Amino acid sequence: MTQPLDLQAVSAHYGTTKVLEDLSLSVQAGELVSLLGASGCGKTTTLRLIAGFLRPTTGSIQLGGRDLTRLPPHKRDIGLVFQNYALFPHLSVLDNVAFGLKQRGLGSSERRKRAMAMLERVGLSALADRAPGALSGGQKQRVALARALVIEPPLLMFDEPLSNLDAKLRVDMRVEIRQLQRSNGTTSVYVTHDQEEAFSISDRVAIMSAGRLMQFDKPEILYRRPANTFVARFVGFENIIPLKVIAREGDVVTAETAGVTLRLSQAVYGAIPDTFLLATRPDGLVVSTDPAAEGLPARLGLRTYLGRAYQYQCETAAGPLIANGSLTAPLEAGTGVKLVPMPEQCTILASEGAR
Amino acid sequence: MSDRPHPFLIVVAGLVYLFLMLPLVIVVGAALSDTTYLTFPPQGLSLRWFENIFEISAFRRTIVTSLQIAFLGTMIALLIGIPAAYALNRFRIELPKWLGTLFVLPILVPEIVFGFALLKSFTVGTGAPIFLSLLIGHTLIVLPYVVRVISASLASFDFSVEEAAISLGSAPVKTFFTIVLPNIRAGVIAAFILAFITSLNDVSVSLFLTGPGISTLPIQILAHVEQFFDPTVASVSVLLMFLTVAVMAVVERTLGLTFLAK
C-alpha cells in the first residue's frame, strides 16, 4: 500500500511571482519527511502541489510510479490533515470519517464498520454520533486523522496539524501521529514551522527558504552538520566566525580572524578550505578566565540566566558572539575572557561570497 | 451595572416600538372600517374591503403577476448569485476587487434611473414582452442582495473543508452540492426571503416596465389610490403583511430566524 513520492525539478508561480524554484525531493516508501521553514518559504506551496490544488509551472510529481502532475486532486488518493481540521460541520463524526469511503463506493454497513474501527484506533468511538462543533481541538484533529487514514492512502500529508493546539497536547499528538504513521507504514509529508516538532517525528527533514530547498537530511545531521549558513543559523548556530588559513602543518591548520589566530585540527573538523566559516552554538564556546587558554579574547556583556547555564553577550575583535558559561561561577559584565571553541560542537562551513 | 434596565431605557424602547407599530395598527384599523373612505379610527367593523380585493380583477391579476415575478426573479438571481458569490469568495485573492463591487451597482444607481434606462434600452430597444422586461428588471435589482447575503455566509465558510472533501475523492462539482451548499443553506434561505420581499415591494423599476395589461401589485395599488379613496388599499396592505408574517413563521418554525440577524 505504501509508496515512494518523487518530485522532479518542480517550480511554481503565483501570477508572476516565483514561489517554488526547481525543487527535487524523494520520499521513500514508509518514510515521514517534514518540510520545515518560516512562512512564505514554499513548504505549504509544495504540499498543495502534491495534493493537486496548485499546478506546477514545470517539473513532475510521481507517487509510486503514478504520474500525478496533471491529475485532478480528487483522483490523487492522498490523505490530508489540515491545520484548522477542516471537518464537515454538517456531518456527524462517524459520517466525517466515512466520507472518503462513500466516495469509493463502499456500502453503508461496510463504511460504518471501517469508520468505527478507525475511530476506535484514535480513541473516539464513544463520540461517533457527535457533531464536530461539540469536540475539543485535540478530538477534532483525531477525527481529521481518522478521516484521512481510513481511506488507506498511499500518501498522507499534514499541513501544520498541531498549530492550533496548546503546547502539552501538541507533544502528545505528535507522538500519537508518529505511532499511527509507523504502524501503518504510510509514506508521509509533514509541513511545519516548528523545528522541535519536525526533528522529533521525522525520518528526514527538508529545510526550505524563499522557495528553495536548503538542506534535506536526517534530523541528527541537520542539527550537528548544517550544510550552509542559512541552515546553521536556523538550527541555532548563533556564532558564525569567518576565518582565513594562514599556515598548515600536517593536520593542524592555523586560521586568523581580525588579528586573532586559532589552531584547528583537520582530524576533528575534516578538510578545511583556505577561507571558511566556523559555526557554533553558544554551548560550543567555553568561557575561560585562564589567560593561557587558546581562544578568542572577548569582553563579557549582558549576562542572562538560562537555567542550565548563564549566557553572555560577548564583544570580540571578530564581532559580537554569544557564549554559555558555567552556573557555578557567574562573571560580571566587563570581564576579559577567552572564548574557546569546543571542536565536537563546532562545524566548518564554506564561506558564501558577500553575506 | 444593575440587573434591572434603567427606567429611561424602558421608556425609549417603548417609544421606538410604538413608532414602529403605530402605522401598522392604523393600517389594520383602516382596513376594517365599514366606511367607503380611508379613516382611522375605524367606523364600524367589516371585512368587505378584503372581499373587494378579489372582486376587482386588476388586483387578482397583479397579485398573481407580482408573485410570479418575485418567485421567478428570485430563483434566477439565486442561479446567478450563488455561483457568483462562490467565485468571489473562493478566489478572493486571485480576482480583482472591483469585480465584487460590480454586483452592488444595481442598488447604487437610483432605481428610478435604472428603471428608465431599462425601459429605453431593453423594452423599447428590443420590443421584448412586458413580462420578460419586468422579470429581467426584478432579477437585476434583487441580485445585489443575493450576492451580498450569500457572500456573508461564505465568508465564514472554511474552504479547506471543501479541499478536504476533494482530497477524499469527491469531484469538485459534487463537492459543491454535498459540502458547500449544505453549509451556506441559511444564507441561501435568507437571500431568498430578502430578494422575494424586495421584488414584491418594488415600485420604482416596475413603474417604468409595467405596461398595458400587465402590472404588479404595488403599481396597481398606486393606480387604485389615484382613482378611489376606499379602504381596499389598506386591506391589500394588511393581506401583504399577513403573507410576510406567514412566510416568516414558516421559516422560524423550520430554521429559526436567528440567522437573519447575523
Side-chain angles (χ1 to χ4, degrees):
Chain A
M1 199 59 229
T2 181
Q3 290 173 0
L5 171 74
D6 200 30
L7 274 70
Q8 285 290 336
V10 174
S11 294
H13 293 75
Y14 275 126
T16 52
T17 322
K18 197 164 213 174
V19 288
L20 201 66
E21 200 165 335
D22 220 13
L23 177 79
S24 294
L25 193 76
S26 289
V27 182
Q28 291 162 22
E31 197 180 23
L32 193 157
V33 164
S34 284
L35 306 179
L36 175 65
S39 66
C41 72
K43 57 189 194 295
T44 297
T45 303
T46 307
L47 178 127
R48 295 179 64 77
L49 283 166
I50 301 170
F53 298 128
L54 285 176
R55 285 283 170 92
T57 349
T58 55
S60 78
I61 301 166
Q62 312 256 337
L63 180 61
R66 218 162 33 116
D67 186 10
L68 298 185
T69 320
R70 304 276 159 232
L71 209 61
H74 65 279
K75 291 187 177 154
R76 293 197 178 194
D77 207 17
I78 294 172
L80 270 175
V81 178
F82 295 82
Q83 176 176 354
N84 45 9
Y85 325 122
L87 299 179
F88 309 128
H90 61 300
L91 298 179
S92 71
V93 164
L94 185 72
D95 288 340
N96 262 277
V97 177
F99 185 87
L101 299 173
K102 195 174 178 183
Q103 309 309 314
R104 278 154 183 76
L106 266 73
S108 75
S109 65
E110 182 64 19
R111 288 205 299 265
R112 198 187 153 78
K113 204 178 90 191
R114 289 203 201 174
M116 278 310 286
M118 199 64 230
L119 281 172
E120 194 90 45
R121 277 187 70 186
V122 296
L124 286 182
S125 46
L127 304 179
D129 296 323
R130 293 271 181 93
L135 305 182
S136 72
Q139 290 169 336
K140 281 182 191 170
Q141 203 52 292
R142 281 197 184 87
V143 175
L145 194 59
R147 184 179 65 176
L149 277 172
V150 78
I151 60 169
E152 295 172 10
L155 176 66
L156 199 54
M157 297 205 290
F158 300 85
D159 187 7
E160 306 247 4
L162 308 179
S163 297
N164 289 0
L165 305 177
D166 62 55
K168 170 82 175 79
L169 196 55
R170 218 177 297 167
V171 175
D172 294 348
M173 276 298 288
R174 79 186 185 211
V175 172
E176 221 169 296
I177 287 178
R178 181 57 160 164
Q179 276 166 347
L180 274 170
Q181 187 267 338
R182 269 275 170 82
S183 67
N184 273 29
T186 313
T187 312
S188 300
V189 173
Y190 190 104
V191 165
T192 179
H193 65 270
D194 184 329
Q195 190 183 319
E196 184 191 312
E197 194 175 301
F199 281 19
S200 66
I201 69 167
S202 311
D203 293 304
R204 285 191 293 166
V205 176
I207 295 180
M208 299 178 69
S209 171
R212 290 164 172 276
L213 183 59
M214 302 310 287
Q215 192 176 357
F216 180 36
D217 221 318
K218 292 194 176 96
E220 292 84 346
I221 291 178
L222 291 172
Y223 194 78
R224 296 183 53 84
R225 293 282 174 259
N228 49 56
T229 51
F230 177 85
V231 176
R233 283 183 208 281
F234 193 84
V235 299
F237 285 74
E238 293 182 64
N239 303 307
I240 295 181
I241 309 160
L243 289 156
K244 197 169 275 173
V245 175
I246 50 171
R248 292 179 185 268
E249 305 159 39
D251 257 353
V252 178
V253 164
T254 308
E256 178 269 341
T257 181
V260 185
T261 57
L262 281 176
R263 294 199 309 147
L264 309 167
S265 164
Q266 295 199 94
V268 180
Y269 289 102
I272 297 176
D274 282 345
T275 60
F276 64 97
L277 304 167
L278 181 71
T280 152
R281 294 192 172 80
D283 277 327
L285 288 178
V286 173
V287 178
S288 170
T289 48
D290 176 4
E294 190 181 324
L296 286 164
R299 190 159 295 280
L300 297 184
L302 182 71
R303 184 183 72 211
T304 52
Y305 176 62
L306 299 184
R308 63 194 158 82
Y310 284 113
Q311 186 162 87
Y312 300 94
Q313 309 292 317
C314 312
E315 275 309 320
T316 73
L321 296 175
I322 302 168
N324 288 353
S326 98
L327 281 173
T328 49
L331 299 166
E332 292 312 311
T335 314
V337 296
K338 291 278 182 64
L339 300 179
V340 183
M342 296 170 71
E344 64 276 18
Q345 295 202 38
C346 297
T347 192
I348 299 289
L349 300 170
S351 16
E352 292 167 17
R355 262 196 72 92
Chain B
M1 288 285 271
S2 67
D3 288 333
R4 290 178 57 83
H6 195 278
F8 180 71
L9 190 66
I10 297 173
V11 172
V12 172
L15 282 174
V16 169
Y17 273 109
L18 202 65
F19 180 73
L20 288 172
M21 299 298 285
L22 210 57
L24 303 184
V25 174
I26 290 174
V27 170
V28 173
L32 293 171
S33 180
D34 199 23
T35 54
T36 55
Y37 49 90
L38 270 174
T39 181
F40 187 84
Q43 295 167 13
L45 276 180
S46 156
L47 286 175
R48 68 185 176 113
W49 298 112
F50 284 92
E51 287 169 31
N52 196 38
I53 305 170
F54 299 99
E55 273 159 23
I56 302 172
S57 66
F59 272 116
R60 276 191 317 233
R61 268 188 285 113
T62 53
I63 288 175
V64 173
T65 309
S66 266
L67 290 174
Q68 283 174 336
I69 295 282
F71 182 75
L72 289 176
T74 301
M75 290 317 273
I76 297 171
L78 284 173
L79 283 179
I80 301 169
I82 294 175
Y86 172 81
L88 286 172
N89 281 275
R90 180 76 177 80
F91 306 107
R92 190 176 306 163
I93 301 156
E94 290 90 337
L95 291 174
K97 279 206 173 68
W98 54 262
L99 210 60
T101 319
L102 203 66
F103 284 94
V104 195
L105 283 183
I107 45 172
L108 290 182
V109 177
E111 278 190 30
I112 203 127
V113 176
F114 187 67
F116 178 68
L118 217 59
L119 174 72
K120 282 294 265 188
S121 61
F122 188 70
T123 316
V124 177
T126 65
I130 293 165
F131 188 84
L132 186 64
S133 303
L134 267 175
L135 186 58
I136 290 173
H138 278 235
T139 303
L140 288 176
I141 52 166
V142 302
L143 189 59
Y145 297 101
V146 169
V147 173
R148 274 290 143 141
V149 172
I150 292 174
S151 279
S153 202
L154 279 166
S156 58
F157 178 74
D158 176 4
F159 283 99
S160 58
V161 169
E162 190 190 23
E163 290 184 344
I166 292 174
S167 78
L168 289 166
S170 173
V173 175
K174 187 182 170 196
T175 305
F176 179 81
F177 288 102
T178 56
I179 300 296
V180 183
L181 213 49
N183 282 300
I184 57 165
R185 196 180 59 149
V188 173
I189 291 165
F192 179 89
I193 293 171
L194 196 61
F196 192 83
I197 292 172
T198 303
S199 167
L200 213 56
N201 286 331
D202 175 74
V203 174
S204 334
V205 172
S206 307
L207 206 53
F208 283 99
L209 300 178
T210 49
I214 297 186
S215 189
T216 64
L217 186 57
I219 303 299
Q220 170 58 27
I221 292 173
L222 270 180
H224 190 83
V225 172
E226 277 172 3
Q227 293 169 38
F228 310 96
F229 199 60
D230 62 31
T232 312
V233 172
S235 51
V236 170
S237 309
V238 173
L239 196 70
L240 273 177
M241 267 159 54
F242 275 103
L243 262 176
T244 311
V245 170
V247 170
M248 291 298 189
V250 170
V251 173
E252 166 66 28
R253 272 299 159 84
T254 49
L255 297 156
L257 277 177
T258 42
F259 68 83
L260 276 180
K262 271 187 194 166

